[in-house]
Amino acid sequence: EAILATKDISFNYPDGTKGLDDLSLTIPQGEKVVILGPNGAGKSTLFLHFNGILEPEQGSVFFEGQRISYDKQTLTNLRKKVGLIFQDPDEQLFSASVYQELSFGPLNLGLSKAKVKQRVIEAMKVTGISELEEKPTHLLSYGQKKRVAIAAVLAMKPKVIIFDEPTAWLDPQGAEEIISFLEELTANGITIVMATHDVDLAYKWADYVYIMNQGTKIASGIPSDVFQNK
Ligand code: ADP
Ligand code: ADP
């Protein structure tokens, strides 16, 4: 029932910086999992392993119980199912208009034009950006870009959505909206993994929490156990 798991994974960046150090964890199907940790703890590096952008130097990553191999077909399939939303939407958005941005992934899945359109319209609707359809992405506000990045992943209909700091740089109302939106996704059976520095959010929202530091796990459990002094 773990949808994603890592076993003893280690990874160093080319300049020698330690990214992950012998990390093992599991993401249960359908749950809301928070990865908490300071800047540089290895959260983003872990996420890049979850959808196969990075390959561990040691250890293994598993999706639905299968060890990930790094051939093209396995990776293409994995990226359909594991959607990654970067912290900074400018790293993710590359198309001229919102419609193009949202249709890119579904078109790549080989869906018909009608089916793509249906997915794009639905993704815009649930993220509240329908009125932005024709807008050039470079003219959007930061909060709007964040929604477009989320909608682009939703249009792929992944099983797992991984959010790197979904509330970073948003005002409290924007953050609140994203969180309640995530709540709706899990109600539909989607597994969510979120990185945050926000201890209160982890406490209130997560089903399960991992605390990372220096590329490894330093604590894990349900919030009421992990934050006993709260
Ligand atoms: P972390 O160490 O947690 O990754 P950073 O300070 O490196 O955080 O910033 C994360 C990302 O947010 C960077 O890519 C940066 O470009 C972006 N960013 C920083 N400030 C702003 C801002 N005011 N509005 C939008 N994006 C920002
Ligand atoms: P987090 O997401 O928790 O802020 P990261 O996974 O981004 O942590 O970073 C883990 C470590 O890897 C940090 O020491 C960071 O500086 C380093 N790091 C991240 N990206 C790179 C890179 N492209 N090259 C070298 N070091 C990196």
Side-chain angles (χ1 to χ4, degrees), residues 195-209:
T196 186
H197 311 246
D198 185 341
V199 178
D200 286 330
L201 175 61
Y203 184 71
K204 280 187 275 189
W205 184 79
D207 295 319
Y208 202 82
V209 178

Side-chain angles (χ1 to χ4, degrees), residues 39-40 43-44 87-91 142 165 169 197:
N39 282 337
K43 305 180 295 295
S44 308
Q87 178 172 353
D88 180 359
D90 287 325
E91 284 179 32
Y142 184 74
E165 303 263 355
W169 311 106
H197 311 246

Side-chain angles (χ1 to χ4, degrees), residues 11-20 44-46 48-49 54 57:
F11 179 84
N12 295 294
Y13 283 96
D15 68 358
T17 307
K18 186 189 287 175
L20 294 175
S44 308
T45 307
L46 170 65
L48 294 172
H49 282 79
L54 293 179
E57 283 160 32

Side-chain angles (χ1 to χ4, degrees), residues 30-221:
E31 298 210 344
K32 295 176 285 187
V33 178
V34 164
I35 315 278
L36 196 66
N39 282 337
K43 305 180 295 295
S44 308
T45 307
L46 170 65
F47 292 170
L48 294 172
H49 282 79
F50 276 152
N51 79 348
I53 292 176
L54 293 179
E55 181 175 352
E57 283 160 32
Q58 285 171 39
S60 304
V61 182
F62 298 85
F63 178 73
E64 293 184 325
Q66 298 279 103
R67 185 177 190 272
I68 296 173
S69 56
Y70 293 84
D71 57 282
K72 197 164 178 235
Q73 202 190 333
T74 305
L75 292 178
T76 304
N77 192 42
L78 183 69
R79 285 169 198 163
K80 279 184 211 168
K81 301 205 170 132
V82 180
L84 179 55
I85 300 169
F86 291 85
Q87 178 172 353
D88 180 359
D90 287 325
E91 284 179 32
Q92 190 169 345
L93 304 180
F94 55 88
S95 302
S97 76
V98 170
Y99 190 90
Q100 279 174 12
E101 188 69 44
L102 302 195
S103 57
F104 179 81
L107 278 173
N108 262 354
L109 294 180
L111 299 173
S112 69
K113 278 216 163 131
K115 195 92 189 146
V116 168
K117 185 162 188 189
Q118 190 189 325
R119 286 208 183 182
V120 171
I121 287 173
E122 191 187 335
M124 288 192 303
K125 199 169 155 203
V126 295
T127 51
I129 57 168
S130 301
E131 77 283 6
L132 302 178
E133 178 171 346
E134 305 296 337
K135 261 224 160 173
T137 47
H138 73 274
L139 294 180
L140 301 174
S141 73
Y142 184 74
Q144 288 172 331
K145 284 182 184 171
K146 202 96 187 173
R147 282 161 197 270
V148 172
I150 293 170
V153 167
L154 290 180
M156 297 291 285
K157 294 198 181 286
K159 291 188 173 184
V160 187
I161 298 186
I162 299 179
F163 278 95
D164 206 346
E165 303 263 355
T167 59
W169 311 106
L170 289 176
D171 58 33
Q173 195 202 329
E176 194 72 41
E177 281 171 18
I178 294 224
I179 292 303
S180 67
F181 175 67
L182 296 185
E183 209 65 50
E184 289 171 34
L185 291 182
T186 50
N188 289 311
I190 295 179
T191 304
I192 299 189
V193 185
M194 181 203 291
T196 186
H197 311 246
D198 185 341
V199 178
D200 286 330
L201 175 61
Y203 184 71
K204 280 187 275 189
W205 184 79
D207 295 319
Y208 202 82
V209 178
Y210 286 102
I211 303 182
M212 284 183 69
N213 199 16
Q214 300 193 335
T216 199
K217 174 178 80 183
I218 56 170
S220 61

